[in-house]
Amino acid sequence: AELLYVDGWNSNKVFIHPNKFPWVNISLNMNSSELLDKQHHNMTALGFDFTNGIVKHLLKEYNDDFDEFVKYSGQEKWYGKMLDVIKITYREYKFENYTVLAGEDLLKIENKLKVPAYKMLELNSNVDDFFDVKAGQVIKVPNVYGKEFIIMVDPDNHLPVVQIVKDDKGLFEKYEYSEIKVNPRFSTLEFSEDNEGYGF
């Protein structure tokens, strides 16, 4: 399948060429149940800003204690390149009760508390999807994003090209970014359904 999303275009919906029956292009909200099924995040949530937001939140929340959680762990080879490894370990990782406010869903709670919506789904068996909560409902949420957050930074561009999150069970999510081009130039057709390289 091919997915094309441009902010402000197509009524802010994802344009999808399924590459299978019924062989027609469709448009879906990026937070639709079809696109979020078995996914930790929607297609615009990830990236370096996402990681930066989590670290900034931890720094603001724990202030003077933040230094106790963070440790530089030397360098590690990744695809032939040495990266700087930073580990943020929160030993007091636990689950707390949270009362859903009017108008909130798990994605809004994730953005507010900086904890993963997908983990909330795992913790609450009575919640079927990211939108299956209502005002006044009490749910379990983690107190921080993860028990251990490993960031591997490229010393050349200072970007966190490997991001690993562990929870109470072990590996929760891992993201790797390779062949990064900083400030690339795009053709006018790069993000268009008229691009001949796409199947739309």
Side-chain angles (χ1 to χ4, degrees):
E2 293 176 282
L3 286 76
L4 177 63
Y5 175 79
V6 179
D7 192 34
W9 174 76
N10 194 32
S11 301
N12 275 332
K13 291 184 176 179
V14 183
F15 194 53
I16 303 165
H17 176 55
N19 242 328
K20 62 181 180 180
F21 183 81
W23 304 106
V24 293
N25 297 331
I26 58 174
S27 295
L28 292 173
N29 184 300
M30 72 171 65
N31 290 328
S32 66
S33 57
E34 294 88 354
L35 288 180
L36 285 176
D37 185 41
K38 298 182 178 66
Q39 301 299 316
H40 281 211
H41 306 280
N42 72 32
M43 62 189 299
T44 62
L46 288 177
F48 304 131
D49 284 343
F50 184 80
T51 308
N52 189 37
I54 293 171
V55 175
K56 276 186 172 180
H57 175 76
L58 288 170
L59 182 57
K60 181 181 176 183
E61 191 76 15
Y62 299 103
N63 204 358
D64 295 336
D65 295 330
F66 186 71
D67 288 346
E68 297 179 19
F69 311 144
V70 182
K71 182 176 86 171
Y72 174 68
S73 299
Q75 289 192 317
E76 189 172 318
K77 187 176 283 189
W78 179 73
Y79 288 103
K81 184 166 191 175
M82 298 305 292
L83 304 179
D84 292 313
V85 181
I86 299 167
K87 291 185 180 180
I88 303 174
T89 306
Y90 190 68
R91 289 177 289 277
E92 301 300 319
Y93 180 79
K94 61 184 178 181
F95 308 121
E96 302 173 332
N97 287 334
Y98 176 82
T99 303
V100 180
L101 302 179
E104 286 187 330
D105 54 46
L106 297 190
L107 297 177
K108 289 178 181 174
I109 296 170
E110 172 183 82
N111 188 55
K112 175 182 176 180
L113 303 180
K114 301 300 182 194
V115 296
Y118 196 84
K119 187 64 181 178
M120 293 181 231
L121 273 181
E122 286 185 353
L123 292 171
N124 298 279
S125 58
N126 59 331
V127 178
D128 294 328
D129 58 45
F130 293 114
F131 308 99
D132 184 32
V133 290
K134 57 187 178 183
Q137 183 176 349
V138 177
I139 60 172
K140 291 286 185 187
V141 300
N143 60 338
V144 289
Y145 196 87
K147 189 173 184 177
E148 186 175 44
F149 197 28
I150 302 168
I151 306 170
M152 299 173 68
V153 180
D154 186 331
D156 293 335
N157 55 27
H158 308 293
L159 294 174
V161 295
V162 180
Q163 305 162 21
I164 302 168
V165 180
K166 296 181 180 180
D167 62 9
D168 55 315
K169 298 177 182 176
L171 180 64
F172 177 66
E173 54 190 23
K174 179 178 182 180
Y175 302 100
E176 299 177 289
Y177 302 89
S178 61
E179 299 180 32
I180 296 171
K181 295 179 182 176
V182 179
N183 298 323
R185 291 179 177 266
F186 295 106
S187 74
T188 55
L189 287 176
E190 186 69 36
F191 297 103
S192 167
E193 60 183 305
D194 298 323
N195 190 320
E196 293 183 357
Y198 302 149
F200 300 109

mmCIF file of all heavy atoms in Angstrom, residues 55-78:
data_model
loop_
_atom_site.group_PDB
_atom_site.id
_atom_site.type_symbol
_atom_site.label_atom_id
_atom_site.label_comp_id
_atom_site.label_asym_id
_atom_site.label_seq_id
_atom_site.Cartn_x
_atom_site.Cartn_y
_atom_site.Cartn_z
ATOM 1 N N VAL A 55 11.813 13.826 26.189
ATOM 2 C CA VAL A 55 12.957 14.184 27.030
ATOM 3 C C VAL A 55 12.719 15.526 27.717
ATOM 4 O O VAL A 55 12.997 15.684 28.916
ATOM 5 C CB VAL A 55 14.259 14.202 26.211
ATOM 6 C CG1 VAL A 55 15.425 14.696 27.059
ATOM 7 C CG2 VAL A 55 14.564 12.806 25.656
ATOM 8 N N LYS A 56 12.184 16.496 26.985
ATOM 9 C CA LYS A 56 11.897 17.814 27.573
ATOM 10 C C LYS A 56 10.872 17.688 28.702
ATOM 11 O O LYS A 56 10.977 18.361 29.729
ATOM 12 C CB LYS A 56 11.372 18.768 26.497
ATOM 13 C CG LYS A 56 12.454 19.446 25.700
ATOM 14 C CD LYS A 56 11.841 20.475 24.768
ATOM 15 C CE LYS A 56 12.927 21.301 24.099
ATOM 16 N NZ LYS A 56 12.365 22.309 23.184
ATOM 17 N N HIS A 57 9.873 16.835 28.495
ATOM 18 C CA HIS A 57 8.850 16.629 29.525
ATOM 19 C C HIS A 57 9.474 16.030 30.790
ATOM 20 O O HIS A 57 9.172 16.467 31.902
ATOM 21 C CB HIS A 57 7.751 15.715 28.999
ATOM 22 C CG HIS A 57 6.737 15.350 30.028
ATOM 23 N ND1 HIS A 57 5.750 16.219 30.450
ATOM 24 C CD2 HIS A 57 6.559 14.204 30.752
ATOM 25 C CE1 HIS A 57 5.015 15.642 31.378
ATOM 26 N NE2 HIS A 57 5.474 14.417 31.571
ATOM 27 N N LEU A 58 10.341 15.030 30.613
ATOM 28 C CA LEU A 58 11.003 14.417 31.768
ATOM 29 C C LEU A 58 11.865 15.432 32.511
ATOM 30 O O LEU A 58 11.888 15.475 33.743
ATOM 31 C CB LEU A 58 11.866 13.234 31.318
ATOM 32 C CG LEU A 58 11.127 11.972 30.872
ATOM 33 C CD1 LEU A 58 12.089 10.993 30.219
ATOM 34 C CD2 LEU A 58 10.418 11.312 32.049
ATOM 35 N N LEU A 59 12.573 16.260 31.741
ATOM 36 C CA LEU A 59 13.436 17.291 32.343
ATOM 37 C C LEU A 59 12.606 18.289 33.147
ATOM 38 O O LEU A 59 12.961 18.659 34.269
ATOM 39 C CB LEU A 59 14.217 18.004 31.250
ATOM 40 C CG LEU A 59 15.210 19.084 31.687
ATOM 41 C CD1 LEU A 59 16.242 18.516 32.655
ATOM 42 C CD2 LEU A 59 15.902 19.686 30.476
ATOM 43 N N LYS A 60 11.477 18.695 32.592
ATOM 44 C CA LYS A 60 10.603 19.650 33.273
ATOM 45 C C LYS A 60 9.951 19.020 34.507
ATOM 46 O O LYS A 60 9.855 19.628 35.569
ATOM 47 C CB LYS A 60 9.523 20.134 32.306
ATOM 48 C CG LYS A 60 8.565 21.139 32.903
ATOM 49 C CD LYS A 60 7.508 21.544 31.878
ATOM 50 C CE LYS A 60 6.492 22.479 32.508
ATOM 51 N NZ LYS A 60 5.417 22.832 31.535
ATOM 52 N N GLU A 61 9.518 17.748 34.357
ATOM 53 C CA GLU A 61 8.789 17.066 35.430
ATOM 54 C C GLU A 61 9.689 16.741 36.621
ATOM 55 O O GLU A 61 9.275 16.857 37.770
ATOM 56 C CB GLU A 61 8.180 15.770 34.873
ATOM 57 C CG GLU A 61 7.200 15.094 35.783
ATOM 58 C CD GLU A 61 5.837 15.763 35.830
ATOM 59 O OE1 GLU A 61 5.534 16.600 34.964
ATOM 60 O OE2 GLU A 61 5.087 15.453 36.758
ATOM 61 N N TYR A 62 10.915 16.305 36.337
ATOM 62 C CA TYR A 62 11.783 15.811 37.412
ATOM 63 C C TYR A 62 12.956 16.728 37.720
ATOM 64 O O TYR A 62 13.723 16.468 38.633
ATOM 65 C CB TYR A 62 12.248 14.387 37.072
ATOM 66 C CG TYR A 62 11.076 13.454 36.962
ATOM 67 C CD1 TYR A 62 10.598 13.047 35.725
ATOM 68 C CD2 TYR A 62 10.405 13.011 38.099
ATOM 69 C CE1 TYR A 62 9.498 12.212 35.621
ATOM 70 C CE2 TYR A 62 9.302 12.184 38.006
ATOM 71 C CZ TYR A 62 8.855 11.783 36.763
ATOM 72 O OH TYR A 62 7.759 10.968 36.667
ATOM 73 N N ASN A 63 13.114 17.771 36.926
ATOM 74 C CA ASN A 63 14.030 18.866 37.211
ATOM 75 C C ASN A 63 15.370 18.420 37.810
ATOM 76 O O ASN A 63 16.178 17.816 37.123
ATOM 77 C CB ASN A 63 13.335 19.888 38.118
ATOM 78 C CG ASN A 63 13.938 21.266 38.009
ATOM 79 O OD1 ASN A 63 14.900 21.466 37.286
ATOM 80 N ND2 ASN A 63 13.383 22.218 38.726
ATOM 81 N N ASP A 64 15.589 18.673 39.103
ATOM 82 C CA ASP A 64 16.877 18.385 39.734
ATOM 83 C C ASP A 64 17.190 16.888 39.780
ATOM 84 O O ASP A 64 18.356 16.493 39.803
ATOM 85 C CB ASP A 64 16.915 18.949 41.156
ATOM 86 C CG ASP A 64 16.832 20.469 41.177
ATOM 87 O OD1 ASP A 64 17.193 21.090 40.151
ATOM 88 O OD2 ASP A 64 16.392 21.030 42.189
ATOM 89 N N ASP A 65 16.154 16.043 39.814
ATOM 90 C CA ASP A 65 16.367 14.595 39.875
ATOM 91 C C ASP A 65 16.692 13.999 38.509
ATOM 92 O O ASP A 65 17.072 12.832 38.414
ATOM 93 C CB ASP A 65 15.118 13.898 40.432
ATOM 94 C CG ASP A 65 14.850 14.293 41.876
ATOM 95 O OD1 ASP A 65 15.817 14.579 42.595
ATOM 96 O OD2 ASP A 65 13.669 14.326 42.271
ATOM 97 N N PHE A 66 16.532 14.785 37.440
ATOM 98 C CA PHE A 66 16.710 14.254 36.087
ATOM 99 C C PHE A 66 18.101 13.663 35.888
ATOM 100 O O PHE A 66 18.264 12.646 35.221
ATOM 101 C CB PHE A 66 16.443 15.364 35.064
ATOM 102 C CG PHE A 66 16.464 14.897 33.630
ATOM 103 C CD1 PHE A 66 15.450 14.094 33.133
ATOM 104 C CD2 PHE A 66 17.499 15.255 32.783
ATOM 105 C CE1 PHE A 66 15.460 13.659 31.821
ATOM 106 C CE2 PHE A 66 17.524 14.829 31.464
ATOM 107 C CZ PHE A 66 16.502 14.032 30.980
ATOM 108 N N ASP A 67 19.107 14.294 36.481
ATOM 109 C CA ASP A 67 20.492 13.810 36.326
ATOM 110 C C ASP A 67 20.683 12.396 36.876
ATOM 111 O O ASP A 67 21.587 11.682 36.440
ATOM 112 C CB ASP A 67 21.475 14.762 37.011
ATOM 113 C CG ASP A 67 21.620 16.071 36.261
ATOM 114 O OD1 ASP A 67 21.183 16.129 35.101
ATOM 115 O OD2 ASP A 67 22.151 17.040 36.835
ATOM 116 N N GLU A 68 19.838 12.005 37.821
ATOM 117 C CA GLU A 68 19.932 10.654 38.381
ATOM 118 C C GLU A 68 19.486 9.593 37.378
ATOM 119 O O GLU A 68 19.873 8.439 37.459
ATOM 120 C CB GLU A 68 19.074 10.541 39.642
ATOM 121 C CG GLU A 68 19.518 11.436 40.782
ATOM 122 C CD GLU A 68 18.611 11.304 41.995
ATOM 123 O OE1 GLU A 68 17.886 10.281 42.066
ATOM 124 O OE2 GLU A 68 18.614 12.212 42.848
ATOM 125 N N PHE A 69 18.642 9.983 36.434
ATOM 126 C CA PHE A 69 18.091 9.027 35.470
ATOM 127 C C PHE A 69 18.956 8.876 34.226
ATOM 128 O O PHE A 69 18.904 7.855 33.550
ATOM 129 C CB PHE A 69 16.687 9.459 35.016
ATOM 130 C CG PHE A 69 15.749 9.812 36.129
ATOM 131 C CD1 PHE A 69 14.826 10.841 35.980
ATOM 132 C CD2 PHE A 69 15.768 9.128 37.335
ATOM 133 C CE1 PHE A 69 13.942 11.170 36.995
ATOM 134 C CE2 PHE A 69 14.887 9.456 38.361
ATOM 135 C CZ PHE A 69 13.980 10.477 38.187
ATOM 136 N N VAL A 70 19.742 9.912 33.919
ATOM 137 C CA VAL A 70 20.453 9.955 32.635
ATOM 138 C C VAL A 70 21.903 9.523 32.790
ATOM 139 O O VAL A 70 22.591 9.924 33.727
ATOM 140 C CB VAL A 70 20.401 11.377 32.042
ATOM 141 C CG1 VAL A 70 21.082 11.429 30.685
ATOM 142 C CG2 VAL A 70 18.973 11.862 31.930
ATOM 143 N N LYS A 71 22.346 8.702 31.820
ATOM 144 C CA LYS A 71 23.734 8.248 31.865
ATOM 145 C C LYS A 71 24.272 8.122 30.445
ATOM 146 O O LYS A 71 23.599 7.566 29.572
ATOM 147 C CB LYS A 71 23.815 6.893 32.570
ATOM 148 C CG LYS A 71 25.249 6.360 32.716
ATOM 149 C CD LYS A 71 25.280 5.070 33.509
ATOM 150 C CE LYS A 71 25.053 3.893 32.604
ATOM 151 N NZ LYS A 71 25.279 2.584 33.246
ATOM 152 N N TYR A 72 25.476 8.661 30.233
ATOM 153 C CA TYR A 72 26.146 8.452 28.955
ATOM 154 C C TYR A 72 26.814 7.089 29.002
ATOM 155 O O TYR A 72 27.587 6.796 29.920
ATOM 156 C CB TYR A 72 27.179 9.556 28.710
ATOM 157 C CG TYR A 72 28.009 9.329 27.467
ATOM 158 C CD1 TYR A 72 27.433 9.407 26.207
ATOM 159 C CD2 TYR A 72 29.357 9.008 27.560
ATOM 160 C CE1 TYR A 72 28.181 9.187 25.056
ATOM 161 C CE2 TYR A 72 30.124 8.797 26.416
ATOM 162 C CZ TYR A 72 29.526 8.884 25.173
ATOM 163 O OH TYR A 72 30.263 8.657 24.043
ATOM 164 N N SER A 73 26.519 6.236 28.041
ATOM 165 C CA SER A 73 27.016 4.852 28.070
ATOM 166 C C SER A 73 28.043 4.561 26.991
ATOM 167 O O SER A 73 28.142 3.436 26.494
ATOM 168 C CB SER A 73 25.834 3.877 27.935
ATOM 169 O OG SER A 73 24.943 4.045 29.001
ATOM 170 N N GLY A 74 28.807 5.578 26.596
ATOM 171 C CA GLY A 74 29.861 5.360 25.614
ATOM 172 C C GLY A 74 29.310 5.299 24.207
ATOM 173 O O GLY A 74 28.252 5.846 23.901
ATOM 174 N N GLN A 75 30.043 4.580 23.341
ATOM 175 C CA GLN A 75 29.631 4.472 21.947
ATOM 176 C C GLN A 75 29.315 3.031 21.579
ATOM 177 O O GLN A 75 29.815 2.093 22.197
ATOM 178 C CB GLN A 75 30.719 5.016 21.023
ATOM 179 C CG GLN A 75 30.868 6.530 21.077
ATOM 180 C CD GLN A 75 31.730 7.042 19.953
ATOM 181 O OE1 GLN A 75 32.763 6.475 19.634
ATOM 182 N NE2 GLN A 75 31.293 8.148 19.333
ATOM 183 N N GLU A 76 28.469 2.894 20.574
ATOM 184 C CA GLU A 76 28.088 1.569 20.083
ATOM 185 C C GLU A 76 28.024 1.624 18.557
ATOM 186 O O GLU A 76 27.572 2.613 17.984
ATOM 187 C CB GLU A 76 26.733 1.175 20.666
ATOM 188 C CG GLU A 76 26.344 -0.255 20.403
ATOM 189 C CD GLU A 76 25.086 -0.658 21.154
ATOM 190 O OE1 GLU A 76 24.952 -0.273 22.338
ATOM 191 O OE2 GLU A 76 24.235 -1.342 20.555
ATOM 192 N N LYS A 77 28.467 0.542 17.917
ATOM 193 C CA LYS A 77 28.481 0.505 16.461
ATOM 194 C C LYS A 77 27.093 0.168 15.929
ATOM 195 O O LYS A 77 26.435 -0.754 16.406
ATOM 196 C CB LYS A 77 29.498 -0.512 15.960
ATOM 197 C CG LYS A 77 29.679 -0.486 14.442
ATOM 198 C CD LYS A 77 30.758 -1.441 13.981
ATOM 199 C CE LYS A 77 32.128 -0.852 14.249
ATOM 200 N NZ LYS A 77 33.196 -1.668 13.620
ATOM 201 N N TRP A 78 26.652 0.922 14.949
ATOM 202 C CA TRP A 78 25.352 0.715 14.302
ATOM 203 C C TRP A 78 25.551 0.868 12.805
ATOM 204 O O TRP A 78 25.876 1.933 12.328
ATOM 205 C CB TRP A 78 24.349 1.732 14.841
ATOM 206 C CG TRP A 78 22.974 1.652 14.248
ATOM 207 C CD1 TRP A 78 22.027 0.698 14.475
ATOM 208 C CD2 TRP A 78 22.387 2.585 13.335
ATOM 209 N NE1 TRP A 78 20.892 0.977 13.764
ATOM 210 C CE2 TRP A 78 21.074 2.130 13.063
ATOM 211 C CE3 TRP A 78 22.826 3.763 12.742
ATOM 212 C CZ2 TRP A 78 20.211 2.803 12.204
ATOM 213 C CZ3 TRP A 78 21.972 4.443 11.877
ATOM 214 C CH2 TRP A 78 20.687 3.961 11.622
#
